[in-house]
Amino acid sequence: MINSKECEFISITVNNKLNSKELMSMVFSAFPVLTCIIEFLFASALTEKDDPPSILPTTLCSTSHTHLPNILIQSASFGNTLVSVTVNPEKGLVDEQLSVSVSGLKPEENVTVSATIEQSSKKRETVFRSFGHFKASVDGCVNLVTDPCLAGTYSGIDPMGLFWSMTQVVGKHGRIMTHDATKSLDYTVMVHPGHISQNSEFTSDIKPLATKLVPRSFMRSGVRKITVYHGRLRGSLFIPSDETTNRRRRQYPAVIDLSGSTGSLIESRGALLASHGFITLSLAYFAYEDLPSAITDVDFEYFEEAIEWLINHEQVSSEKGIGVLGTSLGGIIALYIAKECPQVSAVISINASPAFFVFSIRHNGKQIPSSPLECGSFELKDDGSLLALWKVDESKLFYFDETCRSKVLFLISGDDQVVYTSDYYLWFDKLTPAKRKDVEFVMYEDAGHLLEPPYTPLFNTCYAALYGRPTVFGGYPRPHAEAQEKSWLKIREFFAENL
């Protein structure tokens, strides 16, 4: 767009008799960046020669205005179309919504907006990517909060669609896991001209119009991480930001977070819970440092020690007891803890029924009974992944008696390809009426086995150490994304109410 001063300048016929001060004032107000042209006009006006300096190109030396205005307009147009990506807020948590917008595009220009995240380890490199096709407004802007995605890994209006719709493009059957929550999850958002597809893999010969690094944190400012190396306990303790001004540190409700059959130590959920006001112990229990390498070598007394240690922490408010959260195998252990430990008052089980399958932990020196291999149905898929769906042996289900004081929340995915959803209700029907009041089921239709914090992708098929091969976990992207957002809010509400 050319303003009035630019139009005034363009209408001038450049000649050597023009007052130099007037000319310079108009030039500087119209095009301050075109220094070389300004110097030429200034020198020409002062010398009052009929012929311009021969060292400049003839297109610039012409006393006619035919060429000069065209060059100036093209340069101004280039300067005004710098494409940029804006993210708001610039810094935030992984589980918080953000807005992404693009400006500086041509009116109604077609563009592709993509997001990429990379995680590398000694064993493998994993890259997830999403993309969406957009049409810029007449002002040359795209706003992912209000503008529809026309096609891509998602469609329609969804502020966070670019993040939850990611699919794996490098490596196979991977999963985004965070073993060190002090490090941010770094997304790279790019804008490309035209509508390109995932199949093009966004190769280097397709130059982006703009690139923006979008770091999202697991730990809110002020949250502390303490490495736990107490006796045989291994894990990480996350303590919320201490906002009190007196010398005595504030106390918080406490939660133990247990991952599944992957083992190791995964810190992401624990750090996020601390960012929302819960002291959280992310507890490793096998396949980590000097802990047992196999789940069958883990004893229940280890978890009792963790509960005792956490309850006695100076910043834990334990009058109401503490909470335990577990996914898959970790969920089974969380339910067993609810059965055995009166200090625990709130337990959340994510896609885990109250029965061990084939592999179990020890209690009082003996293996806890588990459903045998015959209870599983197994199918090897064409891509080499395993579909392993488990039906519990009813005789191996464990129940809560009247000594159990814990409220229990089951978060259940309707498309879980690991556990039969009917098993939950089979178990529930055999509870006493009094204990049924302490149990709540929440079902998320078409969600998969791995319910993670919001805006992380669906991991439909992942490598499972339990089977030594990729395993089908189920789920459909959009309903799974909605389930993760709703379940994360439910988790925080449940613990806030019962702790």
Side-chain angles (χ1 to χ4, degrees):
M1 189 65 103
I2 302 175
N3 60 36
S4 58
K5 288 186 177 182
E6 294 172 342
C7 293
E8 182 181 0
F9 176 72
I10 292 171
S11 66
I12 295 173
T13 302
V14 181
N15 59 74
N16 294 335
K17 301 300 182 180
L18 186 65
N19 180 283
S20 61
K21 291 183 178 180
E22 293 177 349
L23 178 61
M24 290 302 296
S25 175
M26 298 172 83
V27 170
F28 272 109
S29 64
F31 300 101
V33 295
L34 302 176
T35 309
C36 63
I37 298 175
I38 291 170
E39 290 177 349
F40 158 63
L41 294 173
F42 184 77
S44 176
L46 290 179
T47 55
E48 297 187 353
K49 292 184 178 180
D50 293 334
D51 298 323
S54 59
I55 58 173
L56 292 176
T58 56
T59 53
L60 291 182
C61 297
S62 171
T63 55
S64 169
H65 67 279
T66 304
H67 300 288
L68 182 59
N70 288 334
I71 294 174
L72 294 176
I73 290 171
Q74 290 168 8
S75 299
S77 178
F78 177 81
N80 289 337
T81 57
L82 181 63
V83 179
S84 64
V85 177
T86 302
V87 175
N88 187 36
E90 282 279 348
K91 296 181 180 180
L93 295 176
V94 169
D95 64 347
E96 294 175 337
Q97 278 200 12
L98 53 85
S99 66
V100 178
S101 59
V102 185
S103 59
L105 299 168
K106 298 174 184 176
E108 301 184 334
E109 181 179 1
N110 289 330
V111 293
T112 300
V113 182
S114 66
T116 305
I117 188 167
E118 300 182 12
Q119 282 196 334
S120 299
S121 65
K122 294 179 179 179
K123 294 182 178 180
R124 63 178 64 87
E125 180 185 13
T126 303
V127 178
F128 285 82
R129 180 181 292 125
S130 60
F131 72 99
H133 295 166
F134 294 89
K135 185 175 183 179
S137 66
V138 292
D139 297 326
C141 298
V142 169
N143 188 332
L144 271 64
V145 175
T146 57
D147 295 341
C149 175
L150 305 177
T153 50
Y154 78 104
S155 62
I157 298 175
D158 191 320
M160 298 300 291
L162 200 64
F163 298 89
W164 61 253
S165 68
M166 287 186 163
T167 59
Q168 192 168 3
V169 294
V170 174
K172 288 184 177 181
H173 314 301
R175 175 184 173 190
I176 297 173
M177 290 191 291
T178 301
H179 299 289
D180 182 0
T182 62
K183 298 179 180 179
S184 62
L185 201 58
D186 296 334
Y187 299 89
T188 301
V189 175
M190 305 178 78
V191 183
H192 288 83
H195 288 165
I196 59 178
S197 69
Q198 185 85 298
N199 295 332
S200 68
E201 297 184 359
F202 297 85
T203 52
S204 57
D205 59 326
I206 306 176
K207 187 177 180 181
L209 300 172
T211 301
K212 176 80 171 181
L213 183 66
V214 184
R216 311 315 281 178
S217 302
F218 294 97
M219 297 170 61
R220 197 183 298 280
S221 177
V223 171
R224 291 182 291 144
K225 172 186 170 181
I226 299 173
T227 299
V228 176
Y229 212 86
H230 178 79
R232 59 175 180 165
L233 298 181
R234 302 290 179 265
S236 296
L237 184 69
F238 295 94
I239 303 177
S241 175
D242 197 341
E243 300 172 353
T244 58
T245 55
N246 55 31
R247 291 186 178 182
R248 184 178 179 181
R249 287 182 170 176
R250 180 180 172 184
Q251 290 188 319
Y252 300 89
V255 173
I256 294 177
D257 182 32
L258 303 173
S259 59
S261 60
T262 303
S264 188
L265 176 62
I266 301 176
E267 297 184 344
S268 49
R269 194 165 56 192
L272 284 172
L273 281 171
S275 298
H276 291 286
F278 301 93
I279 285 185
T280 307
L281 172 60
S282 295
L283 183 66
Y285 55 98
F286 82 105
Y288 179 75
E289 293 191 356
D290 57 348
L291 293 176
S293 58
I295 187 62
T296 51
D297 294 328
V298 177
D299 61 76
F300 182 71
E301 288 76 12
Y302 176 83
F303 301 99
E304 292 180 313
E305 292 169 17
I307 291 168
E308 193 66 23
W309 178 82
L310 186 59
I311 282 179
N312 288 307
H313 192 280
E314 63 175 355
Q315 284 193 259
V316 169
S317 174
S318 59
E319 291 82 3
K320 291 185 177 181
I322 66 169
V324 181
L325 168 64
T327 297
S328 193
L329 175 60
I332 299 174
I333 295 172
L335 292 171
Y336 197 81
I337 289 173
K339 172 181 177 292
E340 296 289 333
C341 301
Q343 311 98 309
V344 174
S345 58
V347 164
I348 300 177
S349 169
I350 301 176
N351 290 315
S353 60
F356 287 92
F357 295 98
V358 183
F359 306 103
S360 67
I361 60 176
R362 294 195 306 260
H363 189 194
N364 295 326
K366 297 179 180 180
Q367 295 296 141
I368 299 173
S370 60
S371 297
L373 193 64
E374 291 75 22
C375 289
S377 62
F378 304 95
E379 178 186 348
L380 195 61
K381 311 292 283 187
D382 292 339
D383 64 355
S385 61
L386 178 68
L387 178 60
L389 192 56
W390 288 94
K391 179 72 177 172
V392 298
D393 179 342
E394 291 185 42
S395 66
K396 302 303 187 294
L397 287 167
F398 52 82
Y399 296 90
F400 304 147
D401 58 25
E402 302 309 317
T403 62
C404 172
R405 59 172 291 217
S406 182
K407 302 288 185 180
V408 179
L409 172 64
F410 287 84
L411 300 180
I412 305 168
S413 294
D415 193 53
D416 187 354
Q417 296 299 306
V418 178
V419 181
Y420 277 98
T421 56
S422 59
D423 288 343
Y424 299 101
Y425 301 99
L426 178 71
W427 171 84
F428 182 79
D429 288 341
K430 294 186 178 181
L431 291 178
T432 65
K435 296 314 298 177
R436 289 179 189 174
K437 295 178 181 179
D438 294 331
V439 175
E440 180 182 1
F441 290 148
V442 179
M443 175 78 77
Y444 300 103
E445 295 295 338
D446 294 329
H449 184 69
L450 288 176
L451 286 178
E452 303 272 32
Y455 317 127
T456 51
L458 164 67
F459 307 116
N460 181 279
T461 303
C462 296
Y463 179 83
L466 185 65
Y467 303 111
R469 63 169 56 248
T471 304
V472 179
F473 288 157
Y476 298 88
R478 186 177 291 277
H480 188 85
E482 293 173 355
Q484 291 191 149
E485 194 169 354
K486 291 177 181 178
S487 63
W488 183 238
L489 179 61
K490 181 67 177 177
I491 287 169
R492 288 152 47 199
E493 289 176 345
F494 181 81
F495 281 142
E497 180 182 350
N498 293 290
L499 298 179

PDB file of all heavy atoms in Angstrom, residues 93-108:
ATOM      1  N   LEU A  93       3.056 -23.531  29.647  1.00  0.00           N
ATOM      2  CA  LEU A  93       3.138 -24.951  29.937  1.00  0.00           C
ATOM      3  C   LEU A  93       2.634 -25.777  28.762  1.00  0.00           C
ATOM      4  O   LEU A  93       1.842 -25.305  27.938  1.00  0.00           O
ATOM      5  CB  LEU A  93       2.311 -25.284  31.182  1.00  0.00           C
ATOM      6  CG  LEU A  93       2.786 -24.679  32.509  1.00  0.00           C
ATOM      7  CD1 LEU A  93       1.801 -25.026  33.621  1.00  0.00           C
ATOM      8  CD2 LEU A  93       4.189 -25.171  32.861  1.00  0.00           C
ATOM      9  N   VAL A  94       3.060 -27.018  28.727  1.00  0.00           N
ATOM     10  CA  VAL A  94       2.652 -27.945  27.674  1.00  0.00           C
ATOM     11  C   VAL A  94       1.139 -28.115  27.642  1.00  0.00           C
ATOM     12  O   VAL A  94       0.542 -28.274  26.574  1.00  0.00           O
ATOM     13  CB  VAL A  94       3.341 -29.311  27.882  1.00  0.00           C
ATOM     14  CG1 VAL A  94       2.757 -30.377  26.971  1.00  0.00           C
ATOM     15  CG2 VAL A  94       4.847 -29.185  27.656  1.00  0.00           C
ATOM     16  N   ASP A  95       0.504 -28.059  28.815  1.00  0.00           N
ATOM     17  CA  ASP A  95      -0.937 -28.321  28.882  1.00  0.00           C
ATOM     18  C   ASP A  95      -1.796 -27.065  28.767  1.00  0.00           C
ATOM     19  O   ASP A  95      -2.998 -27.109  29.003  1.00  0.00           O
ATOM     20  CB  ASP A  95      -1.280 -29.072  30.169  1.00  0.00           C
ATOM     21  CG  ASP A  95      -0.988 -28.251  31.424  1.00  0.00           C
ATOM     22  OD1 ASP A  95      -0.308 -27.212  31.322  1.00  0.00           O
ATOM     23  OD2 ASP A  95      -1.440 -28.651  32.522  1.00  0.00           O
ATOM     24  N   GLU A  96      -1.198 -25.940  28.408  1.00  0.00           N
ATOM     25  CA  GLU A  96      -1.933 -24.686  28.261  1.00  0.00           C
ATOM     26  C   GLU A  96      -2.140 -24.346  26.792  1.00  0.00           C
ATOM     27  O   GLU A  96      -1.239 -24.534  25.969  1.00  0.00           O
ATOM     28  CB  GLU A  96      -1.191 -23.541  28.953  1.00  0.00           C
ATOM     29  CG  GLU A  96      -1.116 -23.693  30.459  1.00  0.00           C
ATOM     30  CD  GLU A  96      -0.284 -22.609  31.125  1.00  0.00           C
ATOM     31  OE1 GLU A  96       0.586 -22.008  30.445  1.00  0.00           O
ATOM     32  OE2 GLU A  96      -0.478 -22.370  32.330  1.00  0.00           O
ATOM     33  N   GLN A  97      -3.322 -23.820  26.480  1.00  0.00           N
ATOM     34  CA  GLN A  97      -3.606 -23.415  25.103  1.00  0.00           C
ATOM     35  C   GLN A  97      -2.744 -22.221  24.721  1.00  0.00           C
ATOM     36  O   GLN A  97      -2.392 -21.385  25.555  1.00  0.00           O
ATOM     37  CB  GLN A  97      -5.082 -23.055  24.936  1.00  0.00           C
ATOM     38  CG  GLN A  97      -5.991 -24.243  24.722  1.00  0.00           C
ATOM     39  CD  GLN A  97      -7.314 -23.853  24.080  1.00  0.00           C
ATOM     40  OE1 GLN A  97      -7.491 -22.753  23.588  1.00  0.00           O
ATOM     41  NE2 GLN A  97      -8.252 -24.786  24.077  1.00  0.00           N
ATOM     42  N   LEU A  98      -2.442 -22.134  23.442  1.00  0.00           N
ATOM     43  CA  LEU A  98      -1.728 -20.982  22.916  1.00  0.00           C
ATOM     44  C   LEU A  98      -2.354 -20.594  21.585  1.00  0.00           C
ATOM     45  O   LEU A  98      -3.117 -21.353  20.996  1.00  0.00           O
ATOM     46  CB  LEU A  98      -0.240 -21.276  22.753  1.00  0.00           C
ATOM     47  CG  LEU A  98       0.189 -22.518  21.949  1.00  0.00           C
ATOM     48  CD1 LEU A  98       0.235 -22.215  20.462  1.00  0.00           C
ATOM     49  CD2 LEU A  98       1.540 -23.007  22.404  1.00  0.00           C
ATOM     50  N   SER A  99      -2.049 -19.394  21.125  1.00  0.00           N
ATOM     51  CA  SER A  99      -2.543 -18.948  19.826  1.00  0.00           C
ATOM     52  C   SER A  99      -1.373 -18.768  18.871  1.00  0.00           C
ATOM     53  O   SER A  99      -0.305 -18.296  19.268  1.00  0.00           O
ATOM     54  CB  SER A  99      -3.315 -17.626  19.960  1.00  0.00           C
ATOM     55  OG  SER A  99      -2.452 -16.577  20.364  1.00  0.00           O
ATOM     56  N   VAL A 100      -1.566 -19.183  17.640  1.00  0.00           N
ATOM     57  CA  VAL A 100      -0.560 -19.044  16.590  1.00  0.00           C
ATOM     58  C   VAL A 100      -1.167 -18.218  15.461  1.00  0.00           C
ATOM     59  O   VAL A 100      -2.277 -18.514  15.003  1.00  0.00           O
ATOM     60  CB  VAL A 100      -0.106 -20.411  16.049  1.00  0.00           C
ATOM     61  CG1 VAL A 100       0.905 -20.228  14.912  1.00  0.00           C
ATOM     62  CG2 VAL A 100       0.495 -21.261  17.165  1.00  0.00           C
ATOM     63  N   SER A 101      -0.471 -17.194  15.037  1.00  0.00           N
ATOM     64  CA  SER A 101      -0.949 -16.376  13.929  1.00  0.00           C
ATOM     65  C   SER A 101       0.203 -16.049  12.989  1.00  0.00           C
ATOM     66  O   SER A 101       1.367 -16.037  13.382  1.00  0.00           O
ATOM     67  CB  SER A 101      -1.600 -15.085  14.440  1.00  0.00           C
ATOM     68  OG  SER A 101      -0.684 -14.329  15.209  1.00  0.00           O
ATOM     69  N   VAL A 102      -0.145 -15.794  11.736  1.00  0.00           N
ATOM     70  CA  VAL A 102       0.832 -15.472  10.692  1.00  0.00           C
ATOM     71  C   VAL A 102       0.431 -14.152  10.073  1.00  0.00           C
ATOM     72  O   VAL A 102      -0.744 -13.920   9.773  1.00  0.00           O
ATOM     73  CB  VAL A 102       0.876 -16.568   9.606  1.00  0.00           C
ATOM     74  CG1 VAL A 102       1.978 -16.272   8.593  1.00  0.00           C
ATOM     75  CG2 VAL A 102       1.081 -17.948  10.230  1.00  0.00           C
ATOM     76  N   SER A 103       1.388 -13.265   9.868  1.00  0.00           N
ATOM     77  CA  SER A 103       1.119 -11.972   9.236  1.00  0.00           C
ATOM     78  C   SER A 103       2.145 -11.708   8.138  1.00  0.00           C
ATOM     79  O   SER A 103       3.186 -12.371   8.063  1.00  0.00           O
ATOM     80  CB  SER A 103       1.161 -10.844  10.270  1.00  0.00           C
ATOM     81  OG  SER A 103       2.434 -10.792  10.900  1.00  0.00           O
ATOM     82  N   GLY A 104       1.846 -10.733   7.286  1.00  0.00           N
ATOM     83  CA  GLY A 104       2.771 -10.358   6.215  1.00  0.00           C
ATOM     84  C   GLY A 104       2.593 -11.144   4.938  1.00  0.00           C
ATOM     85  O   GLY A 104       3.412 -11.043   4.021  1.00  0.00           O
ATOM     86  N   LEU A 105       1.538 -11.949   4.844  1.00  0.00           N
ATOM     87  CA  LEU A 105       1.276 -12.721   3.626  1.00  0.00           C
ATOM     88  C   LEU A 105       0.604 -11.856   2.574  1.00  0.00           C
ATOM     89  O   LEU A 105       0.109 -10.757   2.870  1.00  0.00           O
ATOM     90  CB  LEU A 105       0.378 -13.922   3.963  1.00  0.00           C
ATOM     91  CG  LEU A 105       0.923 -14.936   4.970  1.00  0.00           C
ATOM     92  CD1 LEU A 105      -0.178 -15.893   5.414  1.00  0.00           C
ATOM     93  CD2 LEU A 105       2.088 -15.718   4.373  1.00  0.00           C
ATOM     94  N   LYS A 106       0.549 -12.359   1.374  1.00  0.00           N
ATOM     95  CA  LYS A 106      -0.190 -11.674   0.321  1.00  0.00           C
ATOM     96  C   LYS A 106      -1.686 -11.845   0.575  1.00  0.00           C
ATOM     97  O   LYS A 106      -2.107 -12.828   1.181  1.00  0.00           O
ATOM     98  CB  LYS A 106       0.175 -12.257  -1.050  1.00  0.00           C
ATOM     99  CG  LYS A 106       1.636 -12.092  -1.425  1.00  0.00           C
ATOM    100  CD  LYS A 106       1.943 -12.829  -2.720  1.00  0.00           C
ATOM    101  CE  LYS A 106       3.425 -12.768  -3.056  1.00  0.00           C
ATOM    102  NZ  LYS A 106       3.752 -13.564  -4.274  1.00  0.00           N
ATOM    103  N   PRO A 107      -2.499 -10.903   0.134  1.00  0.00           N
ATOM    104  CA  PRO A 107      -3.945 -11.048   0.323  1.00  0.00           C
ATOM    105  C   PRO A 107      -4.464 -12.364  -0.248  1.00  0.00           C
ATOM    106  O   PRO A 107      -4.164 -12.730  -1.383  1.00  0.00           O
ATOM    107  CB  PRO A 107      -4.518  -9.842  -0.440  1.00  0.00           C
ATOM    108  CG  PRO A 107      -3.424  -8.835  -0.422  1.00  0.00           C
ATOM    109  CD  PRO A 107      -2.150  -9.630  -0.522  1.00  0.00           C
ATOM    110  N   GLU A 108      -5.166 -13.126   0.588  1.00  0.00           N
ATOM    111  CA  GLU A 108      -5.795 -14.385   0.212  1.00  0.00           C
ATOM    112  C   GLU A 108      -4.793 -15.414  -0.324  1.00  0.00           C
ATOM    113  O   GLU A 108      -5.128 -16.274  -1.137  1.00  0.00           O
ATOM    114  CB  GLU A 108      -6.925 -14.153  -0.795  1.00  0.00           C
ATOM    115  CG  GLU A 108      -8.015 -13.234  -0.250  1.00  0.00           C
ATOM    116  CD  GLU A 108      -9.183 -13.079  -1.212  1.00  0.00           C
ATOM    117  OE1 GLU A 108      -8.982 -13.233  -2.428  1.00  0.00           O
ATOM    118  OE2 GLU A 108     -10.295 -12.808  -0.728  1.00  0.00           O
TER     119      GLU A 108
END
